[in-house]
Each structure stands twice: as structure tokens, then as C-alpha cells.
Amino acid sequence: MKKMLTMLLISAVGISMFPFTSTAEAANKPIVGNPELSVLVDGRKVVFQGGDPVSEKGRVQVPLRGIGEALDANVGYSGNTVTYQKTGKSITLTLGSNVAIVDGESVSMDTTAKAVKGRTYVPLRFVSENLGVSVSWDQAANWVWIGPKEIPTPEEAGVKNVPISDFKTLIGKYEVLLTSAFGVKYTTVNVINVDQLPLKIGDVIIYDIWPIKQGSNEGLKMHVSNDSPSITFLGSKFTAKRRDPIKTLNVKNPDTTLTLAYPIVFGNDIDEDPDYKSFKLSQVEYFVISLSSDSLTVIVNPFK
């Protein structure tokens, strides 16, 4: 009876993001949370040391050395001058100046190299294109793609692969996770870190996953190429909890990829946990992504 009442209440919520939030309340509390601004070179996410990419007036700036190394360029820095050299191409930038020297010629820019929190940042598009590499902006992902969009598989990206026995205690009685959609028993688990995304797993690409909130309520969004996989939460302090995408909040992006939304708290948990409303994203250790693949797919929760 409790479960039936819970489902009726969830249905009454309508477009609300989370169970037990009234429609009027939800309307006054927008869903907030966006994917982090990232830079990908040849389909691999660049991890910058000492600072993250920043966007200013529609122009993405990045730490000077990180982008040069990702593009296999020789990087020089002296005083207020930054230089890049790669296969016969050269760029010289001066902090605060909108004039660069490209292959010996003066070129005007619509932005400048600058200091950001004590670090020297350079205009990403200008540097990349003048080193001969294509650049494109991905609105859905909040990413800058540099070079070919060649998404690696977990094996190509060096994802850690462990025996399924390492996860049997966390999976517990939720043994459906041990078998693939084709009825094959998993023997291994791919343990993915968010910085290793995007990855091509079977016929689906997982681009990114990030936290969202509506008032004090928590949720997740996941950007995928296709399909609408469920997510199962695993942790040592609770039994496995499955979440399906919220259909009313799924978005088909202009590039045909999908952005899916998932609740953290869900009314169906009431049967096993009377205190289910207090469940938090920080309690989750792993996200199990339901995909057709040779290994069980899990993502380490970085949002604790």
C-alpha cells in the first residue's frame, strides 16, 4: 500500500525533477548544474595542471603549457612572452597584447593572453588553429573539441579492469547487475574515472556525467550518444539503488545526442529504507551504467 501511495504521489508531481516536491515548489526552484568546461584533443580530455579552462566573453582561455603539450608543441615562456613551435609553425604571444606574431607576421586577435589567478592563460582557439589544428565548440557538452573526434574505448583509454568478485559485496542481492543484457555473466568490471570520459562502450558513447540540484534536492545528468541507460548506485552503507532517466526531463540535443536526468532520492526505496529521503549523492561510491558490453561499466563517484 505504501508503494502504491508513493507512486501516486510521484505521478502527481508532473514535471517536477524529484519525488515529493510539489509542482508549484518545483516551478520556483530551477534545476541548476552544468557540465564543466573541458578541452578535448583527439577525443581525449586534457587535464590541466594548476588551473582549469575559463570562458570570457565567448572565448576560452587555458593554461599556456598544458595546451602546448597536448598539441605536441614546444613551449617557451620568458617575461611576458609565450612562444609555441610545431612542425614549421610558430606563435609568439605577449601578455595583455591583442597582436601576435604568427610565422613571422603580425596578426590581430579579438582577445589576449593574460594572467588568471597568478597563472598565464592563452586563447585556446587562436593557438590551436595557428598550429594547424581544427577547433569546434560543443554546446551540449560544454566542451571544445580540438582535432579529430576519435572517442576511445575503455581498453584504448587504459581504464582499470578488475574481477567482478571485487564488486560482489557492493552489489549484494541486486544480482541482476552480474548479467549482461544478452544473458552473459560478467567476469570483469571497467572502473572509469570521470576524467577518462568520453568513452565508447559498445554502441554507446558516454560523454560526461555531472551533479544537479533543485532547491535542496539532488540529481544527476548524463550526456550520451544514444540509448537511455539506467544508473544503479553502489555504496558500502546502503543496498544497491536503481534509477531510470526522468522522461520529462530528457533532452535531445541539436547534434542528436541525449542529455538524461536522474533523481538521487526516489520513492520506490521506501520499502527497504523508511529513511530514504535522507539519501545523499555523497553516499554513493560507484555509478553502474546499464550498457551492453563485455564488462560491467562503473564510474567512480567524484561528487562526494
Short mmCIF file of all heavy atoms in Angstrom, two decimals, residues 63-120:
data_model
loop_
_atom_site.label_atom_id
_atom_site.label_comp_id
_atom_site.label_asym_id
_atom_site.label_seq_id
_atom_site.Cartn_x
_atom_site.Cartn_y
_atom_site.Cartn_z
N PRO A 63 45.53 27.31 -19.52
CA PRO A 63 46.92 27.45 -19.10
C PRO A 63 47.88 27.22 -20.26
O PRO A 63 47.70 26.30 -21.06
CB PRO A 63 47.07 26.37 -18.02
CG PRO A 63 45.70 26.21 -17.46
CD PRO A 63 44.78 26.36 -18.65
N LEU A 64 48.89 28.07 -20.36
CA LEU A 64 49.75 28.10 -21.55
C LEU A 64 50.46 26.79 -21.83
O LEU A 64 50.54 26.34 -22.97
CB LEU A 64 50.77 29.24 -21.43
CG LEU A 64 51.94 29.07 -20.44
CD1 LEU A 64 53.17 28.50 -21.13
CD2 LEU A 64 52.30 30.39 -19.80
N ARG A 65 51.00 26.15 -20.79
CA ARG A 65 51.82 24.97 -21.03
C ARG A 65 50.98 23.73 -21.34
O ARG A 65 51.33 22.92 -22.21
CB ARG A 65 52.73 24.70 -19.83
CG ARG A 65 53.77 23.64 -20.10
CD ARG A 65 54.85 23.62 -19.02
NE ARG A 65 55.57 24.89 -18.95
CZ ARG A 65 56.57 25.22 -19.77
NH1 ARG A 65 56.95 24.38 -20.73
NH2 ARG A 65 57.18 26.37 -19.65
N GLY A 66 49.85 23.59 -20.66
CA GLY A 66 49.03 22.40 -20.84
C GLY A 66 48.56 22.21 -22.27
O GLY A 66 48.62 21.10 -22.82
N ILE A 67 48.10 23.28 -22.90
CA ILE A 67 47.60 23.14 -24.27
C ILE A 67 48.75 22.90 -25.25
O ILE A 67 48.62 22.14 -26.21
CB ILE A 67 46.74 24.35 -24.70
CG1 ILE A 67 46.02 24.03 -26.02
CG2 ILE A 67 47.56 25.62 -24.82
CD1 ILE A 67 45.16 22.79 -25.98
N GLY A 68 49.89 23.54 -25.00
CA GLY A 68 51.03 23.32 -25.88
C GLY A 68 51.50 21.87 -25.85
O GLY A 68 51.74 21.26 -26.90
N GLU A 69 51.58 21.30 -24.66
CA GLU A 69 52.00 19.91 -24.54
C GLU A 69 50.99 18.96 -25.14
O GLU A 69 51.35 17.96 -25.77
CB GLU A 69 52.24 19.58 -23.07
CG GLU A 69 53.44 20.32 -22.48
CD GLU A 69 53.59 20.12 -20.98
OE1 GLU A 69 52.64 19.57 -20.37
OE2 GLU A 69 54.64 20.50 -20.43
N ALA A 70 49.68 19.26 -24.98
CA ALA A 70 48.64 18.40 -25.55
C ALA A 70 48.69 18.40 -27.07
O ALA A 70 48.31 17.42 -27.72
CB ALA A 70 47.27 18.86 -25.08
N LEU A 71 49.18 19.51 -27.65
CA LEU A 71 49.27 19.62 -29.12
C LEU A 71 50.66 19.26 -29.62
O LEU A 71 50.97 19.49 -30.80
CB LEU A 71 48.90 21.04 -29.55
CG LEU A 71 47.44 21.45 -29.30
CD1 LEU A 71 47.24 22.93 -29.63
CD2 LEU A 71 46.49 20.59 -30.11
N ASP A 72 51.50 18.72 -28.76
CA ASP A 72 52.87 18.31 -29.12
C ASP A 72 53.69 19.47 -29.66
O ASP A 72 54.51 19.31 -30.59
CB ASP A 72 52.84 17.17 -30.15
CG ASP A 72 52.25 15.88 -29.57
OD1 ASP A 72 52.49 15.62 -28.39
OD2 ASP A 72 51.54 15.18 -30.31
N ALA A 73 53.49 20.65 -29.09
CA ALA A 73 54.26 21.83 -29.49
C ALA A 73 55.34 22.10 -28.45
O ALA A 73 55.20 21.76 -27.27
CB ALA A 73 53.35 23.04 -29.62
N ASN A 74 56.43 22.71 -28.89
CA ASN A 74 57.45 23.18 -27.96
C ASN A 74 56.99 24.51 -27.38
O ASN A 74 56.59 25.41 -28.12
CB ASN A 74 58.79 23.36 -28.67
CG ASN A 74 59.37 22.03 -29.14
OD1 ASN A 74 59.32 21.03 -28.42
ND2 ASN A 74 59.92 22.00 -30.34
N VAL A 75 57.03 24.63 -26.06
CA VAL A 75 56.50 25.81 -25.38
C VAL A 75 57.64 26.58 -24.73
O VAL A 75 58.50 26.00 -24.06
CB VAL A 75 55.48 25.41 -24.29
CG1 VAL A 75 54.88 26.65 -23.66
CG2 VAL A 75 54.39 24.53 -24.88
N GLY A 76 57.64 27.90 -24.94
CA GLY A 76 58.63 28.76 -24.30
C GLY A 76 57.93 29.88 -23.54
O GLY A 76 56.86 30.34 -23.95
N TYR A 77 58.53 30.30 -22.44
CA TYR A 77 57.94 31.38 -21.65
C TYR A 77 59.06 32.19 -21.01
O TYR A 77 59.89 31.66 -20.28
CB TYR A 77 57.02 30.81 -20.57
CG TYR A 77 56.31 31.86 -19.74
CD1 TYR A 77 55.42 32.75 -20.35
CD2 TYR A 77 56.54 31.97 -18.38
CE1 TYR A 77 54.77 33.72 -19.59
CE2 TYR A 77 55.88 32.94 -17.61
CZ TYR A 77 55.01 33.81 -18.23
OH TYR A 77 54.37 34.77 -17.49
N SER A 78 59.06 33.48 -21.32
CA SER A 78 60.09 34.36 -20.79
C SER A 78 59.49 35.73 -20.58
O SER A 78 58.97 36.34 -21.53
CB SER A 78 61.28 34.45 -21.74
OG SER A 78 62.26 35.34 -21.25
N GLY A 79 59.55 36.23 -19.34
CA GLY A 79 58.96 37.54 -19.05
C GLY A 79 57.47 37.54 -19.32
O GLY A 79 56.72 36.75 -18.74
N ASN A 80 57.03 38.39 -20.24
CA ASN A 80 55.61 38.46 -20.63
C ASN A 80 55.34 37.81 -21.97
O ASN A 80 54.29 38.06 -22.58
CB ASN A 80 55.16 39.93 -20.67
CG ASN A 80 55.06 40.54 -19.29
OD1 ASN A 80 54.84 39.84 -18.31
ND2 ASN A 80 55.25 41.85 -19.21
N THR A 81 56.28 37.00 -22.45
CA THR A 81 56.16 36.44 -23.80
C THR A 81 56.03 34.93 -23.76
O THR A 81 56.77 34.24 -23.05
CB THR A 81 57.39 36.83 -24.65
OG1 THR A 81 57.51 38.24 -24.70
CG2 THR A 81 57.24 36.29 -26.07
N VAL A 82 55.06 34.41 -24.54
CA VAL A 82 54.83 32.98 -24.67
C VAL A 82 55.09 32.59 -26.12
O VAL A 82 54.63 33.29 -27.04
CB VAL A 82 53.38 32.60 -24.30
CG1 VAL A 82 53.16 31.10 -24.43
CG2 VAL A 82 53.05 33.07 -22.90
N THR A 83 55.81 31.50 -26.34
CA THR A 83 56.06 31.05 -27.71
C THR A 83 55.68 29.58 -27.87
O THR A 83 55.81 28.78 -26.94
CB THR A 83 57.55 31.21 -28.11
OG1 THR A 83 58.36 30.44 -27.20
CG2 THR A 83 57.96 32.67 -28.05
N TYR A 84 55.17 29.26 -29.07
CA TYR A 84 54.84 27.89 -29.43
C TYR A 84 55.49 27.59 -30.77
O TYR A 84 55.44 28.42 -31.70
CB TYR A 84 53.34 27.70 -29.57
CG TYR A 84 52.56 27.87 -28.29
CD1 TYR A 84 51.97 29.09 -27.97
CD2 TYR A 84 52.40 26.82 -27.39
CE1 TYR A 84 51.25 29.26 -26.80
CE2 TYR A 84 51.68 26.98 -26.22
CZ TYR A 84 51.11 28.20 -25.92
OH TYR A 84 50.41 28.37 -24.76
N GLN A 85 56.08 26.40 -30.90
CA GLN A 85 56.65 25.97 -32.17
C GLN A 85 56.25 24.53 -32.44
O GLN A 85 56.34 23.67 -31.54
CB GLN A 85 58.18 26.10 -32.15
CG GLN A 85 58.67 27.54 -32.10
CD GLN A 85 60.17 27.65 -32.17
OE1 GLN A 85 60.88 26.77 -31.69
NE2 GLN A 85 60.67 28.71 -32.77
N LYS A 86 55.80 24.29 -33.66
CA LYS A 86 55.40 22.93 -34.04
C LYS A 86 55.46 22.78 -35.55
O LYS A 86 54.82 23.55 -36.29
CB LYS A 86 53.97 22.64 -33.55
CG LYS A 86 53.46 21.26 -33.94
CD LYS A 86 52.03 21.04 -33.49
CE LYS A 86 51.54 19.67 -33.92
NZ LYS A 86 50.13 19.42 -33.53
N THR A 87 56.23 21.81 -36.02
CA THR A 87 56.33 21.45 -37.45
C THR A 87 56.32 22.67 -38.38
O THR A 87 55.46 22.81 -39.25
CB THR A 87 55.18 20.51 -37.84
OG1 THR A 87 53.91 21.16 -37.57
CG2 THR A 87 55.24 19.21 -37.07
N GLY A 88 57.27 23.55 -38.16
CA GLY A 88 57.41 24.71 -39.05
C GLY A 88 56.50 25.87 -38.75
O GLY A 88 56.57 26.90 -39.42
N LYS A 89 55.64 25.76 -37.75
CA LYS A 89 54.75 26.86 -37.38
C LYS A 89 55.22 27.46 -36.07
O LYS A 89 55.72 26.76 -35.19
CB LYS A 89 53.31 26.38 -37.25
CG LYS A 89 52.71 25.87 -38.55
CD LYS A 89 51.26 25.45 -38.34
CE LYS A 89 50.66 24.98 -39.66
NZ LYS A 89 50.53 26.10 -40.63
N SER A 90 55.03 28.77 -35.93
CA SER A 90 55.44 29.43 -34.69
C SER A 90 54.45 30.52 -34.32
O SER A 90 53.86 31.17 -35.18
CB SER A 90 56.84 30.03 -34.84
OG SER A 90 56.84 31.10 -35.78
N ILE A 91 54.26 30.68 -33.01
CA ILE A 91 53.36 31.70 -32.48
C ILE A 91 54.07 32.38 -31.31
O ILE A 91 54.66 31.71 -30.46
CB ILE A 91 52.04 31.09 -31.96
CG1 ILE A 91 51.34 30.28 -33.04
CG2 ILE A 91 51.11 32.19 -31.43
CD1 ILE A 91 50.15 29.47 -32.50
N THR A 92 54.00 33.71 -31.28
CA THR A 92 54.52 34.47 -30.15
C THR A 92 53.40 35.35 -29.62
O THR A 92 52.80 36.14 -30.37
CB THR A 92 55.72 35.35 -30.54
OG1 THR A 92 56.76 34.51 -31.05
CG2 THR A 92 56.25 36.12 -29.33
N LEU A 93 53.11 35.21 -28.34
CA LEU A 93 52.07 35.99 -27.68
C LEU A 93 52.71 36.83 -26.57
O LEU A 93 53.61 36.36 -25.88
CB LEU A 93 51.00 35.08 -27.07
CG LEU A 93 50.30 34.09 -27.98
CD1 LEU A 93 49.45 33.13 -27.15
CD2 LEU A 93 49.42 34.81 -28.98
N THR A 94 52.20 38.04 -26.41
CA THR A 94 52.64 38.90 -25.32
C THR A 94 51.46 39.18 -24.41
O THR A 94 50.38 39.57 -24.90
CB THR A 94 53.20 40.23 -25.85
OG1 THR A 94 54.30 39.95 -26.74
CG2 THR A 94 53.70 41.11 -24.71
N LEU A 95 51.64 38.97 -23.12
CA LEU A 95 50.54 39.18 -22.18
C LEU A 95 49.98 40.60 -22.30
O LEU A 95 50.73 41.58 -22.34
CB LEU A 95 51.02 38.96 -20.74
CG LEU A 95 50.82 37.55 -20.17
CD1 LEU A 95 51.71 36.56 -20.90
CD2 LEU A 95 51.10 37.53 -18.68
N GLY A 96 48.64 40.68 -22.42
CA GLY A 96 47.97 41.96 -22.49
C GLY A 96 47.89 42.57 -23.88
O GLY A 96 47.19 43.56 -24.07
N SER A 97 48.55 41.95 -24.85
CA SER A 97 48.55 42.49 -26.22
C SER A 97 47.61 41.68 -27.11
O SER A 97 47.57 40.45 -27.01
CB SER A 97 49.95 42.45 -26.81
OG SER A 97 49.93 42.82 -28.18
N ASN A 98 46.87 42.39 -27.99
CA ASN A 98 45.99 41.67 -28.92
C ASN A 98 46.65 41.48 -30.28
O ASN A 98 45.98 41.19 -31.26
CB ASN A 98 44.65 42.40 -29.06
CG ASN A 98 44.79 43.75 -29.72
OD1 ASN A 98 45.90 44.27 -29.87
ND2 ASN A 98 43.67 44.35 -30.11
N VAL A 99 47.96 41.64 -30.33
CA VAL A 99 48.72 41.38 -31.56
C VAL A 99 49.69 40.23 -31.30
O VAL A 99 50.49 40.28 -30.35
CB VAL A 99 49.48 42.63 -32.03
CG1 VAL A 99 50.32 42.30 -33.26
CG2 VAL A 99 48.52 43.76 -32.34
N ALA A 100 49.61 39.20 -32.12
CA ALA A 100 50.50 38.05 -32.01
C ALA A 100 51.40 38.00 -33.24
O ALA A 100 51.08 38.58 -34.28
CB ALA A 100 49.70 36.77 -31.90
N ILE A 101 52.51 37.30 -33.11
CA ILE A 101 53.38 37.06 -34.25
C ILE A 101 53.21 35.60 -34.65
O ILE A 101 53.52 34.69 -33.88
CB ILE A 101 54.86 37.34 -33.91
CG1 ILE A 101 55.03 38.74 -33.34
CG2 ILE A 101 55.73 37.15 -35.15
CD1 ILE A 101 54.61 39.85 -34.28
N VAL A 102 52.66 35.39 -35.85
CA VAL A 102 52.41 34.03 -36.35
C VAL A 102 53.26 33.81 -37.59
O VAL A 102 53.10 34.52 -38.59
CB VAL A 102 50.92 33.82 -36.69
CG1 VAL A 102 50.69 32.43 -37.25
CG2 VAL A 102 50.06 34.05 -35.46
N ASP A 103 54.19 32.88 -37.52
CA ASP A 103 55.10 32.59 -38.63
C ASP A 103 55.77 33.86 -39.14
O ASP A 103 55.90 34.08 -40.35
CB ASP A 103 54.36 31.88 -39.76
CG ASP A 103 53.77 30.55 -39.34
OD1 ASP A 103 54.29 29.95 -38.39
OD2 ASP A 103 52.77 30.12 -39.95
N GLY A 104 56.15 34.73 -38.19
CA GLY A 104 56.88 35.95 -38.54
C GLY A 104 56.02 37.14 -38.91
O GLY A 104 56.54 38.23 -39.13
N GLU A 105 54.70 36.96 -38.98
CA GLU A 105 53.80 38.03 -39.38
C GLU A 105 52.94 38.47 -38.19
O GLU A 105 52.51 37.64 -37.38
CB GLU A 105 52.88 37.57 -40.51
CG GLU A 105 53.60 37.10 -41.76
CD GLU A 105 54.24 38.26 -42.53
OE1 GLU A 105 53.74 39.40 -42.40
OE2 GLU A 105 55.24 38.02 -43.23
N SER A 106 52.66 39.78 -38.11
CA SER A 106 51.79 40.31 -37.06
C SER A 106 50.33 39.98 -37.38
O SER A 106 49.88 40.21 -38.51
CB SER A 106 51.96 41.83 -36.94
OG SER A 106 53.25 42.15 -36.51
N VAL A 107 49.62 39.45 -36.40
CA VAL A 107 48.21 39.07 -36.57
C VAL A 107 47.41 39.62 -35.39
O VAL A 107 47.80 39.42 -34.23
CB VAL A 107 48.05 37.53 -36.64
CG1 VAL A 107 46.58 37.15 -36.76
CG2 VAL A 107 48.86 36.95 -37.79
N SER A 108 46.31 40.31 -35.70
CA SER A 108 45.46 40.84 -34.63
C SER A 108 44.55 39.75 -34.08
O SER A 108 44.07 38.88 -34.82
CB SER A 108 44.61 42.00 -35.16
OG SER A 108 45.42 43.08 -35.53
N MET A 109 44.30 39.80 -32.77
CA MET A 109 43.41 38.86 -32.11
C MET A 109 42.23 39.63 -31.51
O MET A 109 42.34 40.83 -31.25
CB MET A 109 44.13 38.11 -30.98
CG MET A 109 45.36 37.36 -31.41
SD MET A 109 46.06 36.40 -30.00
CE MET A 109 46.64 37.75 -28.96
N ASP A 110 41.11 38.94 -31.26
CA ASP A 110 39.98 39.58 -30.59
C ASP A 110 40.01 39.32 -29.09
O ASP A 110 39.05 39.56 -28.38
CB ASP A 110 38.65 39.12 -31.18
CG ASP A 110 38.45 37.62 -31.10
OD1 ASP A 110 39.33 36.93 -30.53
OD2 ASP A 110 37.43 37.12 -31.60
N THR A 111 41.16 38.82 -28.60
CA THR A 111 41.36 38.60 -27.18
C THR A 111 42.86 38.68 -26.92
O THR A 111 43.64 38.95 -27.84
CB THR A 111 40.79 37.23 -26.75
OG1 THR A 111 40.89 37.09 -25.35
CG2 THR A 111 41.51 36.09 -27.45
N THR A 112 43.30 38.42 -25.69
CA THR A 112 44.72 38.50 -25.36
C THR A 112 45.10 37.36 -24.44
O THR A 112 44.26 36.76 -23.77
CB THR A 112 45.05 39.82 -24.65
OG1 THR A 112 44.40 39.85 -23.37
CG2 THR A 112 44.62 41.03 -25.48
N ALA A 113 46.40 37.08 -24.40
CA ALA A 113 46.93 36.23 -23.34
C ALA A 113 46.91 37.05 -22.06
O ALA A 113 47.09 38.28 -22.09
CB ALA A 113 48.34 35.78 -23.67
N LYS A 114 46.67 36.40 -20.92
CA LYS A 114 46.52 37.16 -19.68
C LYS A 114 46.85 36.32 -18.46
O LYS A 114 46.96 35.09 -18.55
CB LYS A 114 45.09 37.68 -19.57
CG LYS A 114 44.03 36.60 -19.51
CD LYS A 114 42.63 37.19 -19.58
CE LYS A 114 42.38 37.83 -20.93
NZ LYS A 114 41.05 38.44 -21.02
N ALA A 115 46.99 37.00 -17.33
CA ALA A 115 47.21 36.31 -16.07
C ALA A 115 45.86 36.06 -15.41
O ALA A 115 45.03 36.97 -15.31
CB ALA A 115 48.10 37.14 -15.15
N VAL A 116 45.61 34.81 -14.99
CA VAL A 116 44.39 34.43 -14.28
C VAL A 116 44.81 33.73 -13.00
O VAL A 116 45.40 32.65 -13.03
CB VAL A 116 43.50 33.50 -15.13
CG1 VAL A 116 42.27 33.08 -14.35
CG2 VAL A 116 43.10 34.18 -16.44
N LYS A 117 44.54 34.37 -11.86
CA LYS A 117 44.90 33.82 -10.55
C LYS A 117 46.37 33.43 -10.49
O LYS A 117 46.74 32.36 -10.00
CB LYS A 117 44.01 32.61 -10.23
CG LYS A 117 42.54 32.95 -10.08
CD LYS A 117 41.70 31.72 -9.74
CE LYS A 117 40.22 32.08 -9.59
NZ LYS A 117 39.38 30.89 -9.29
N GLY A 118 47.21 34.31 -11.03
CA GLY A 118 48.64 34.08 -10.96
C GLY A 118 49.19 33.14 -12.01
O GLY A 118 50.40 32.88 -12.05
N ARG A 119 48.32 32.63 -12.90
CA ARG A 119 48.75 31.73 -13.97
C ARG A 119 48.58 32.41 -15.32
O ARG A 119 47.65 33.20 -15.51
CB ARG A 119 47.91 30.44 -13.95
CG ARG A 119 48.02 29.64 -12.66
CD ARG A 119 49.23 28.75 -12.68
NE ARG A 119 49.35 27.98 -11.45
CZ ARG A 119 50.28 27.06 -11.25
NH1 ARG A 119 51.13 26.79 -12.21
NH2 ARG A 119 50.37 26.42 -10.10
N THR A 120 49.46 32.08 -16.24
CA THR A 120 49.35 32.65 -17.59
C THR A 120 48.42 31.80 -18.44
O THR A 120 48.63 30.59 -18.60
CB THR A 120 50.73 32.75 -18.25
OG1 THR A 120 51.56 33.60 -17.46
CG2 THR A 120 50.61 33.34 -19.65
#
